């Protein structure tokens, strides 16, 4: 069954959506959209370093995404507004990655794939990495779910309960780096932020509890991946951007439904 490239692509899209779903909810709740973009843009530098040293792409992406996330966390609150700091680091990392890739012979086609995703070229090995990464992200967030919720929704209660907001932020940082490493093969560095934000934003009007929002987000993300893959195959459009377009269309539908219910 896994010899069929469309089956592999579909499974890769679902695995990516499942990894992004619970984390995306925290990104929306904590207003961390720029944080996700900065980490995703830094992933391109990891691709360049991996190609230069002929190492595993996912390992290089994971390392640079984690370093970027730690840099943002360490530098925030030291004279610059957080959104300014994120903008500087995100664009600098993306520019450095693009410049670094330009020095690598034969890397131009790889660059387009890692910028916008190449889900149709996912191998069985890539599929295993994607699902292993998704399982790690889901397991990490499930383990810390209540503590993360408390630190996110009621910081005063978290402090009174002895929950360290900085430690929970570190958990989200690690999960974000893992998700970026998982998703870069499927949707690319420039579209990972959209995959983290749009499905939970679409699920928000339909959910009454945080757990329900995470489950609805997973369903919307998986549905967008499958529908985007089918639309891309039917209309011969880029797969990663098509998946994001479908997710955006679902967001519009749920936003309208939420307004009608209100």
């Amino acid at each position: 069954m896994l010899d069929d490239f469309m089956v592999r692509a579909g499974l890769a899209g679902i695995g990516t959506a499942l990894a992004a779903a619970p984390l995306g909810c925290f990104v929306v709740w904590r207003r961390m959209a720029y944080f996700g973009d900065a980490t995703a843009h830094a992933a391109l530098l990891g691709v360049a370093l991996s190609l230069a040293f002929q190492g595993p792409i996912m390992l290089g992406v994971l390392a640079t995404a984690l370093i970027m996330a730690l840099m943002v966390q360490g530098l925030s609150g030291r004279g610059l507004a957080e959104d300014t700091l994120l903008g500087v680091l995100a664009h600098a990392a993306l520019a450095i990655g693009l410049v670094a890739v330009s020095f690598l012979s034969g890397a131009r086609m790889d660059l387009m794939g890692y910028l916008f995703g190449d889900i149709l070229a996912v191998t069985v090995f890539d599929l295993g990495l994607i699902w292993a990464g998704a399982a790690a992200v889901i397991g990490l967030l499930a383990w810390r779910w209540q503590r993360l919720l408390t630190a996110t929704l009621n910081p005063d209660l978290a402090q009174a309960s002895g929950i360290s907001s900085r430690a929970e932020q570190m958990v989200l940082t690690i999960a974000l780096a893992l998700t970026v490493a998982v998703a870069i093969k499927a949707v690319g560095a420039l579209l990972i932020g959209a995959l983290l934000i749009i499905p939970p934003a679409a699920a928000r009007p339909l959910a009454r509890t945080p757990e329900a929002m995470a489950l609805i987000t997973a369903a919307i993300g998986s549905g967008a991946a499958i529908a985007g893959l089918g639309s891309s195959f039917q209309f011969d459009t880029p797969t990663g951007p098509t998946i994001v377009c479908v997710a955006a269309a679902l967001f519009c539908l749920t936003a309208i439904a939420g307004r009608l219910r209100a």
Side-chain angles (χ1 to χ4, degrees):
M1 180 181 71
L2 294 181
D3 289 337
D4 189 340
F5 76 96
M6 287 294 288
V7 174
R8 290 198 302 271
L11 290 174
I14 293 173
T16 302
L18 293 179
L23 180 60
C25 292
F26 284 104
V27 168
V28 170
W29 292 331
R30 286 177 169 246
R31 301 180 181 179
M32 293 170 57
Y34 285 131
F35 188 74
D37 280 340
T39 308
H41 289 173
L44 192 61
L45 181 57
V47 172
L49 294 174
S50 298
L51 292 174
F53 294 102
Q54 298 181 344
I57 296 292
M58 187 167 287
L59 183 60
V61 169
L62 178 60
T64 54
L66 186 58
I67 290 171
M68 169 60 78
L70 293 174
M71 283 179 60
V72 172
Q73 186 174 351
L75 293 174
S76 59
R78 298 193 178 186
L80 283 176
E82 188 170 353
D83 58 344
T84 303
L85 176 64
L86 288 171
V88 170
L89 292 178
H91 291 94
L94 182 60
I96 293 170
L98 290 170
V99 171
V101 169
S102 69
F103 287 106
L104 303 176
S105 59
R108 188 168 300 277
M109 291 305 295
D110 290 332
L111 175 62
M112 294 302 295
Y114 288 112
L115 277 173
F116 299 105
D118 194 7
I119 196 171
L120 297 178
V122 167
T123 64
V124 175
F125 179 73
D126 293 330
L127 192 58
L129 289 177
I130 287 172
W131 277 89
V137 170
I138 293 171
L140 178 62
L141 294 181
W143 172 48
R144 308 289 293 189
W145 183 260
Q146 289 301 327
R147 297 175 70 89
L148 284 167
L149 273 182
T150 304
T152 298
L153 303 179
N154 196 332
D156 293 334
L157 177 61
Q159 185 176 5
S161 303
I163 297 174
S164 171
S165 297
R166 192 171 186 84
E168 302 312 315
Q169 178 68 31
M170 182 62 66
V171 171
L172 290 178
T173 296
I174 295 171
L176 182 59
L178 278 170
T179 303
V180 168
V182 164
I184 193 168
K185 183 73 174 182
V187 295
L190 296 183
L191 301 177
I192 290 173
L195 197 63
L196 283 169
I197 297 167
I198 297 177
R204 198 167 193 171
L206 307 178
R208 296 187 178 275
T209 65
E211 292 78 11
M213 182 170 165
L215 292 174
I216 295 171
T217 299
I220 289 175
S222 300
I226 297 301
L229 184 63
S231 299
S232 172
F233 184 79
Q234 180 71 29
F235 300 109
D236 193 24
T237 55
T239 309
T242 305
I243 291 173
V244 175
C245 287
V246 172
L250 292 174
F251 167 76
C252 293
L253 290 175
T254 60
I256 293 171
R259 287 292 183 90
L260 292 177
R261 285 175 59 187

